[in-house]
């Protein structure tokens, strides 16, 4: 007999609901939100799983890849679509959400989300991290410009090493702003090094 599973994933625990093809609940429980624990529970309680559904979220991509690796038929359901359906339930709980997700994948009333490949995720992570470093570098440069401008000290636009050189030339060795600006320039130097990697 076919089985359908709903997983309501949270950071520590995942609520699990297994239903049969007629919609009857055959198991409800919880497992740690990690692939090994979920795989063990699913192999024991839902060996004939036709579809295992869970919503998009912070851990969805990781779980999808790990559960697919052990050949479990997982589908990642669009969270907004699932929310629209699940919010009509009277009692909002993790257990009820898991049951609602199991029903969604049983009847097919869901919008599956294409999960990015692991390579694509790595590339995106690198781009996001680099973007953050660029923003930090720019924030430090703007902060230093603002500090020295209050003392009537202006210099042409520059970034990176050229920026630090111009600030150092402008302030010299004994300017009283050194104690304020030097820590910022040290952080700026480190951010530039990491950004260039």
């Amino acid at each position: 007999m076919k089985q359908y599973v709903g997983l309501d994933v949270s950071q520590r625990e995942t609520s699990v609901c297994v239903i049969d093809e007629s919609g009857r609940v055959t198991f409800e429980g919880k497992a740690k939100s990690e692939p090994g624990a979920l795989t063990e529970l699913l192999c024991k309680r839902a060996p004939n799983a036709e579809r295992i559904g869970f919503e998009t979220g912070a851990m969805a991509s990781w779980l999808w890849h790990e559960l697919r690796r052990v050949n479990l038929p997982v589908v990642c359901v669009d969270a907004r679509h699932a929310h629209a359906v699940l919010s009509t339930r009277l009692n909002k709980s993790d257990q009820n959400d898991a049951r609602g997700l199991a029903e969604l994948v049983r009847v097919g009333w869901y919008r599956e989300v294409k999960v990015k490949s692991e390579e694509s995720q790595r590339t995106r992570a690198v781009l996001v991290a680099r973007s953050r470093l660029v923003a930090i570098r720019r924030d430090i440069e703007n902060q230093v410009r603002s500090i020295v401008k209050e003392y009537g000290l202006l210099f042409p636009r520059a970034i990176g090493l050229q920026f630090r050189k111009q600030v150092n030339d402008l302030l010299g060795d004994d300017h009283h702003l050194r104690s304020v600006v030097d820590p910022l320039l040290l952080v700026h130097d480190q951010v530039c090094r990491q950004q260039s990697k």
Side-chain angles (χ1 to χ4, degrees), residues 16-129:
V16 180
C17 179
V18 181
I19 60 176
D20 63 20
E21 53 195 339
S22 68
R24 185 177 60 88
V25 175
T26 60
F27 172 77
E28 286 183 307
K30 291 182 182 269
K32 285 184 179 177
S33 292
E34 60 96 17
L38 288 170
T39 299
E40 184 179 332
L41 185 139
L42 292 169
C43 288
K44 182 178 178 183
R45 297 296 186 162
N48 302 315
E50 185 75 9
R51 281 189 292 276
I52 301 165
F54 52 88
E55 296 176 76
T56 54
M59 297 170 62
S61 181
W62 171 62
L63 282 177
W64 188 89
H65 285 290
E66 293 301 316
L67 295 177
R68 278 282 174 156
R69 237 184 280 287
V70 292
N71 297 317
L72 290 173
V74 292
V75 292
C76 193
V77 178
D78 182 283
R80 291 170 297 186
H81 183 252
H83 176 73
V85 175
L86 298 176
S87 64
T88 61
R89 296 176 154 291
L90 290 176
N91 297 322
K92 182 90 170 102
S93 68
D94 293 346
Q95 183 178 342
N96 281 343
D97 283 354
R99 187 179 301 163
L101 287 165
E103 290 171 2
L104 277 179
V105 295
R106 178 180 74 86
V107 297
W109 290 349
Y110 62 91
R111 184 177 299 132
E112 186 172 357
V113 174
K114 181 164 174 45
V115 177
K116 291 183 172 83
S117 70
E118 290 173 320
E119 182 60 35
S120 176
Q121 287 177 294
R122 273 191 292 275
T123 301
R124 184 177 185 280
V126 168
L127 292 173
V128 167

Side-chain angles (χ1 to χ4, degrees), residues 144-164:
V144 170
R145 277 192 188 90
S146 175
I147 290 170
V148 299
K149 189 187 287 185
E150 290 178 8
Y151 287 83
L153 303 171
L154 303 172
F155 56 93
R157 180 155 168 68
I159 61 173
L161 176 60
Q162 191 61 35
F163 169 80
R164 290 191 304 279

Side-chain angles (χ1 to χ4, degrees), residues 148-197:
V148 299
K149 189 187 287 185
E150 290 178 8
Y151 287 83
L153 303 171
L154 303 172
F155 56 93
R157 180 155 168 68
I159 61 173
L161 176 60
Q162 191 61 35
F163 169 80
R164 290 191 304 279
K165 183 177 180 335
Q166 287 186 5
V167 171
N168 285 326
D169 289 348
L170 189 65
L171 293 181
D173 292 331
D174 56 354
H175 198 282
H176 63 277
L177 283 180
R178 273 283 175 201
S179 62
V180 176
V181 172
D182 280 351
L184 291 170
L185 293 180
L186 282 172
V187 173
H188 184 270
D189 178 46
Q190 286 303 311
V191 168
C192 289
R193 287 173 198 266
Q194 294 305 314
Q195 182 187 322
S196 66
K197 286 185 177 181

